[in-house]
Amino acid sequence: ENRRGASGIIAAGVAAKANPDGHTFVLVSSSYFNNAALGSKKFSFKPIQAFEPITLLARTYNIVVVNKDFPVKSVKELISYAKENPGKVNYASGGIGTGTHFETEMFKWKTGTDMVHIPFKGTKNALIDVMAGRVPLMFAGAAAVLPLVRAGKVRPIAVLTAEPVDELPNLPTVGRTVKGFSSTVWYALFAPKGTPRDRVLYLNKAFHKALSDKKLIATLGNRGFKPTPSTPEGLIDKVNQHLKLVPEVAQKSGFRLKQ
């Protein structure tokens, strides 16, 4: 069931109330944990404790893209332009608390720039306005923006991964200019609390097997995803690391769920 909205909170709320029999689970992204870390009031359930971890699934990345008429062609130029025009450069995101919002705020903190957040209802809507020039800039998810980059409808200036990506091997990383800067968006699978351990391990094994299929790996790779299956314990470690990072970024950058 596709229960869209609120960075996965709506879908997670349905799963949290489901029968823990191993036949219902939920897919969430790291954006979900941005909201959990900052105490979003949208939760009517405990965002972490309501679930049993199954596995990490995959990671992807965001690409810094600009409207073709925006006078910036590199991260260095973006930083200079933003500093010369404080509070006058708008950036789009897929919504408050999403990965695109979080990563741009982290970029602002690391570079000492002041850009204005324009949240949209979803990445697709945000990219429409970037292409039209109504908002000049976005740190956009690879799956959504790669087709637009390949069609020449937006101009990519950098990728947020630690190393260049296979899909755009000539595109520099943000970290080349902003030392140590890298970030990825990740996806994970959870089951309702109380799901028997043997069901959790069965699902974990099944997803490991599925994510080792060469055809699936190639299909995901073409869309900017890399399979990263884990143990249930490895997933919890990943969540805990993220829960520590988000408040730090919020404190240093002014990142907030409401504006």
Side-chain angles (χ1 to χ4, degrees):
E1 296 183 36
N2 187 13
R3 300 295 185 97
R4 300 179 62 184
S7 297
I9 296 175
I10 293 173
V14 175
K17 299 173 184 177
N19 184 10
D21 58 4
H23 291 281
T24 299
F25 39 94
V26 62
L27 168 68
V28 294
S29 75
S30 46
S31 295
Y32 172 85
F33 298 100
N34 294 343
N35 286 271
L38 297 178
S40 171
K41 295 181 180 179
K42 294 180 181 179
F43 288 101
S44 60
F45 56 96
K46 294 182 178 180
I48 313 298
Q49 298 89 335
F51 300 100
E52 303 284 355
I54 298 176
T55 183
L56 282 165
L57 291 176
R59 70 170 183 262
T60 186
Y61 53 88
N62 285 350
I63 302 170
V64 186
V65 296
V66 298
N67 175 269
K68 293 186 294 182
D69 295 326
F70 189 55
V72 161
K73 294 184 179 180
S74 69
V75 172
K76 184 178 180 180
E77 290 182 9
L78 173 60
I79 294 170
S80 296
Y81 188 90
K83 287 186 174 181
E84 291 168 3
N85 299 275
K88 297 180 181 179
V89 178
N90 296 335
Y91 77 87
S93 84
I96 295 173
T98 59
T100 54
H101 179 199
F102 173 73
E103 291 182 338
T104 317
E105 289 297 317
M106 185 162 62
F107 177 83
K108 287 169 55 181
W109 161 38
K110 295 287 188 179
T111 59
T113 52
D114 178 16
M115 298 186 291
V116 179
H117 179 213
I118 309 296
F120 288 79
K121 291 185 178 180
T123 296
K124 181 179 179 180
N125 292 331
L127 284 169
I128 288 172
D129 272 29
V130 173
M131 286 187 289
R134 289 184 285 270
V135 183
L137 166 72
M138 184 175 181
F139 285 43
V145 80
L146 275 173
L148 303 181
V149 170
R150 290 164 177 158
K153 294 183 177 180
V154 292
R155 182 168 67 244
I157 63 172
V159 64
L160 274 69
T161 51
E163 301 292 337
V165 297
D166 292 340
E167 296 76 39
L168 299 167
N170 296 321
L171 189 66
T173 65
V174 173
R176 179 184 294 184
T177 303
V178 185
K179 188 176 180 180
F181 189 100
S182 67
S183 183
T184 58
V185 178
W186 46 272
Y187 292 81
L189 201 70
F190 292 82
K193 188 70 175 179
T195 300
R197 180 67 176 176
D198 63 333
R199 303 288 179 88
V200 168
L201 295 178
Y202 177 88
L203 287 168
N204 181 277
K205 183 178 179 180
F207 275 92
H208 271 70
K209 182 179 180 180
L211 291 170
S212 68
D213 180 83
K214 291 183 179 180
K215 185 176 180 180
L216 177 61
I217 291 171
T219 299
L220 290 173
N222 189 52
R223 289 162 174 78
F225 289 91
K226 182 176 181 178
T228 56
S230 71
T231 63
E233 292 74 22
L235 171 52
I236 287 299
D237 287 344
K238 185 71 171 179
V239 169
N240 288 335
Q241 291 170 16
H242 196 76
L243 292 177
K244 290 179 181 179
L245 174 64
V246 172
E248 180 184 11
V249 174
Q251 181 182 12
K252 298 291 178 62
S253 72
F255 175 77
R256 295 290 183 270
L257 294 180
K258 291 185 177 181
Q259 296 186 344

